[in-house]
Amino acid sequence: MSSTIRFRSLALASLCTCALASPASADLLQHKDISAAMAITIAQTTIATCKANGYAVSVTVVGRNGEIIVQVRGDNTGPHTIENSFRKAYTARTFRNPSGALVERLQKNPTLGLIHLSNVIANQGALPIKVGDETIGGAGASGAPGGEKDEACIKAGIDKIADQLK
């Protein structure tokens, strides 16, 4: 094979490879995340809302990967409330539903294996944080007398930043 033919074959193969390769930007993921300022606002609003109702709570806000962005142990709360608020927030983020939804699933199927995963808890008091249908985090509270009260305070916190979740 002559060097001219070899060169043309190599050039044609290179051209085909370049034409078939997708641009690098096609492989990049683009997503929205909760900022520290947003997480702080959620936590402060949650604590203030519960305090106005006579409840002392701890709050955790987690990001899209379940990592803690903000965690505040509320004044006069029990030592367990910080861990419990995290586990609730993590559960809401992981399952993309209010943490109380896992309670319902567990009642229907008491042998549900999900309950044994690390940081997962079947306890009401947390909500996922969403932009449209995409879950970008979760927020949980612990300390009010009942998970529904924790959840109501969390809802107030998320509602405070709702205009930024677009």
Side-chain angles (χ1 to χ4, degrees), residues 29-133:
L29 298 176
Q30 294 184 9
H31 58 263
K32 296 185 179 201
D33 288 307
I34 300 165
S35 69
M38 292 167 71
I40 290 167
T41 298
I42 291 169
Q44 288 176 326
T45 303
T46 298
I47 289 171
T49 301
C50 273
K51 184 177 182 178
N53 289 305
Y55 318 130
V57 297
S58 293
V59 179
T60 303
V61 179
V62 299
R64 73 171 46 253
N65 295 318
E67 76 285 4
I68 296 169
I69 298 174
V70 168
Q71 189 170 56
V72 180
R73 180 172 175 204
D75 297 337
N76 300 314
T77 59
H80 66 283
T81 60
I82 198 77
E83 177 184 351
N84 205 29
S85 70
F86 166 69
R87 292 180 68 192
K88 289 178 181 185
Y90 184 87
T91 300
R93 163 52 195 112
T94 302
F95 297 109
R96 298 181 217 123
N97 282 301
S99 59
L102 190 55
V103 174
E104 295 168 14
R105 288 179 67 185
L106 194 59
Q107 287 171 342
K108 292 176 186 172
N109 180 5
T111 61
L112 187 66
L114 299 173
I115 198 62
H116 301 291
L117 295 172
S118 296
N119 301 321
V120 171
I121 192 167
N123 201 337
Q124 187 176 7
L127 295 170
I129 301 169
K130 296 187 175 200
V131 174
D133 290 334

